[in-house]
Amino acid sequence: MTREHNWAGNLTYAAADVTQPDSVSQLQEIVQRSHRVRALGTRHSFNDIADTPGTLISLARLDHVVRLDATSRTVTIEGGVRYGQLGEYLHAHGFALRNMASLPHISVAGACATATHGSGVRNGNLATAVSAMEVVTSDGELEALSRVTHGDEFDGTVVSLGALGVITQLTLDIVPTFQLRQDVYENLSLASAVSHFDDIQQMAYSVSLFTDWTNDRFAQVWLKREVTADPEADVPPELFGATLAVTDLHPLPGLSAESCTAQMGVPGPWWERLPHFRMEFTPSHGAELQSEYFVPYQYAGNALQAILRIGGDISQALLVSEVRTIAADALWMSPCYRTACIAIHFTWKPDWTAVRRLLPLIEAALSPFDPRPHWGKLFTMPADEVRSRYQRLPDFRRLVEDHDPVGKFSNAFVDRYVFGTPVSS
Ligand SMILES: Cc1cc2nc3c(=O)[nH]c(=O)nc-3n(C[C@H](O)[C@H](O)[C@H](O)COP(=O)(O)OP(=O)(O)OC[C@H]3O[C@@H](n4cnc5c(N)ncnc54)[C@H](O)[C@@H]3O)c2cc1C
């Protein structure tokens, strides 16, 4: 039997099969009769968070927009909808999401379950947009949850790590559509990045800094800015010593910018500027592994210098690193719970042996700053250390036990990082 694997191909799922129900009632039946089961999104996570020894359920066939409510400024979607598809729909109807990740290919449900984020000091992670959800719980029943009816508890359910059930519907906050432009600057010295970190973050709606940590500089700074009446008005040729790029660039040296969203200040709708990569192309490199650590914003300069000190050790295995910012939120299992953060991301060559050796170096370098790993990427931090960084973990455990008393949605990842129990089978 051929087993299914994740997007990166570094993980073969233990699940015997992936089933794709055509309706919510079919999905409910599958959950009801299964002993162990878990929802699968678009498979873009790099670790075993989505795996189960039982049956994986993909909602790829449940991918419709259910309702757009212009008055309450919300959109309700089925659990299999992907960001690229939703972005195009919302823009055509005059609306927008506040933020997107680097790629539009991922499912909304899967992204929110892992606290996936974009960038911007005023932008929370993508899960902060969720105001209501419908979930199939372990008895196969549909449960409606919302910010209004469930208050604080709702904040515990959105970044669910897939542990509460199968999300069949999400309602998201929306705003009027808007235009963005992307301008890329080259060669920002690390000294300038550190001393002007806050100024640079405040300059744009969303900021990404790219480096390989080898030469004390960020090779590229991507600024995504709202388009003003005079598009040429506020584009200085220099940014603290970095110079404005004169051609579109890929964040990875040597790769064609064809797969990237338009740059050079060309105005465009939010959903074609917030992601770095275009829906019709393979995002990022394609053959890669990824890791990412969140550190409180206040430690940005010190954390960047700590990574720079080990830059020589990690650069051989690295394709590129990206630094972004995320606003604080109230979601229990979000790495940015009550703390604005920077996220230091690593796109690695697909060599797990090398990466596994290097991750402890990064985790040690960042340890003075209470790092939290991205739920969907690769890390080696001991599970008890991860658990200790989540203040609301005991509340989340109770929530999981209430929703899934028989452990139908449990898996080894949740056992390790939520319950601290040995690997389940
Ligand atoms: C090229 C690339 C670029 C990336 N860029 C970013 C980025 O810019 N920012 C960032 O933060 N992350 C990024 N990621 C990581 C990615 O966003 C997360 O791993 C995200 O969870 C992937 O969503 P998915 O739909 O593939 O979920 P999966 O990996 O399929 O599943 C993730 C979790 O969601 C749960 N889940 C999925 N669907 C449902 C559902 N319907 N109901 C309940 N639970 C569900 C699964 O059970 C699992 O626990 C990137 C990944 C790749 C491969």
Side-chain angles (χ1 to χ4, degrees):
M1 182 176 44
T2 332
R3 294 215 189 252
E4 302 273 346
H5 54 79
N6 65 344
W7 174 85
N10 67 311
L11 178 85
T12 301
Y13 296 119
D17 61 90
V18 179
T19 181
Q20 293 197 355
D22 292 306
S23 66
V24 172
S25 55
Q26 219 180 74
L27 190 158
Q28 288 178 274
E29 272 169 41
I30 296 166
V31 171
Q32 200 172 28
R33 67 162 187 259
S34 301
H35 171 57
R36 296 290 286 278
V37 73
R38 192 160 250 264
L40 182 64
T42 48
R43 312 179 184 209
H44 286 80
S45 294
F46 291 84
N47 58 37
D48 58 345
I49 189 169
D51 206 4
T52 173
T55 300
L56 277 170
I57 303 180
S58 159
L59 275 70
R61 292 190 186 145
L62 302 174
D63 65 345
H64 298 99
V65 174
V66 177
R67 190 169 50 251
L68 175 69
D69 187 332
T71 312
S72 67
R73 291 208 173 155
T74 56
V75 66
T76 300
I77 55 170
E78 290 185 321
V81 168
R82 299 197 283 163
Y83 276 99
Q85 176 195 352
L86 178 60
E88 187 170 9
Y89 169 90
L90 284 175
H91 178 63
H93 289 80
F95 288 98
L97 298 170
R98 276 188 200 283
N99 214 356
M100 290 175 77
S102 68
L103 74 175
H105 309 64
I106 49 177
S107 79
V108 176
C112 293
T114 61
T116 286
H117 61 94
S119 191
V121 278
R122 280 172 283 280
N123 298 320
N125 69 43
L126 306 187
T128 58
V130 181
S131 68
M133 298 191 297
E134 273 187 18
V135 186
V136 175
T137 51
S138 58
D139 53 6
E141 295 300 315
L142 255 189
E143 185 185 7
L145 300 161
S146 89
R147 214 186 261 154
V148 175
T149 53
H150 289 73
D152 177 51
E153 189 183 298
F154 186 70
D155 290 336
T157 61
V158 185
V159 179
S160 70
L161 315 181
L164 299 175
V166 182
I167 296 152
T168 53
Q169 254 186 39
L170 298 110
T171 300
L172 308 175
D173 297 332
I174 52 176
V175 294
T177 193
F178 56 99
Q179 298 269 309
L180 288 174
R181 56 177 292 160
Q182 241 176 167
D183 296 286
V184 176
Y185 289 82
E186 294 187 89
N187 296 317
L188 177 73
S189 72
L190 191 97
S192 289
V194 168
S195 55
H196 299 287
F197 193 80
D198 202 43
D199 300 323
I200 295 168
Q201 302 308 321
Q202 298 288 345
M203 281 183 79
Y205 189 85
S206 166
V207 178
S208 288
L209 304 156
F210 292 95
T211 181
D212 63 6
W213 304 106
T214 55
N215 51 9
D216 292 15
R217 70 184 170 92
F218 284 95
Q220 295 177 23
V221 180
W222 288 38
L223 299 186
K224 299 172 194 269
R225 286 183 282 188
E226 284 183 272
V227 174
T228 57
D230 177 3
E232 293 306 315
D234 56 347
V235 190
E238 241 191 63
L239 178 82
F240 302 111
T243 51
L244 194 59
V246 292
T247 182
D248 283 356
L249 293 170
H250 193 291
L252 284 154
L255 291 196
S256 159
E258 191 191 15
S259 60
C260 297
T261 47
Q263 302 157 37
M264 307 276 293
V266 178
W270 58 277
W271 69 280
E272 291 181 326
R273 294 295 179 276
L274 285 170
H276 305 328
F277 303 107
R278 293 165 56 185
M279 187 78 170
E280 55 288 18
F281 290 86
T282 299
S284 192
H285 186 273
E288 66 194 65
L289 299 174
Q290 294 188 9
S291 307
E292 191 168 30
Y293 298 91
F294 299 82
V295 169
Y297 188 92
Q298 73 206 75
Y299 302 136
N302 291 339
L304 296 181
Q305 277 159 334
I307 299 298
L308 184 69
R309 280 195 284 277
I310 57 164
D313 298 320
I314 62 176
S315 63
Q316 281 298 312
L318 191 67
L319 288 168
V320 77
S321 224
E322 179 179 9
V323 177
R324 289 176 281 183
T325 56
I326 307 101
D329 60 53
L331 307 176
W332 300 356
M333 296 307 286
S334 160
C336 301
Y337 178 73
R338 304 228 180 280
T339 317
C341 286
I342 66 160
I344 310 178
H345 162 90
F346 304 84
T347 300
W348 302 106
K349 293 174 187 168
D351 178 355
W352 176 231
T353 308
V355 173
R356 188 171 42 189
R357 196 174 46 78
L358 297 175
L359 291 179
L361 288 185
I362 293 174
E363 290 161 4
L366 294 178
S367 66
F369 317 114
D370 293 338
R372 294 164 193 206
H374 191 301
W375 289 121
K377 301 186 183 181
L378 297 165
F379 54 95
T380 53
M381 193 182 283
D384 55 350
E385 204 176 319
V386 176
R387 290 196 302 275
S388 73
R389 304 260 147 84
Y390 286 86
Q391 209 179 312
R392 301 296 299 267
L393 192 77
D395 297 325
F396 183 67
R397 275 193 205 126
R398 270 194 295 279
L399 207 60
V400 174
E401 283 161 352
D402 287 351
H403 280 78
D404 184 18
V406 294
K408 201 173 263 195
F409 299 106
S410 64
N411 68 4
F413 185 95
V414 171
D415 286 351
R416 279 196 304 276
Y417 299 112
V418 174
F419 288 99
T421 49
V423 169
S424 65
S425 54

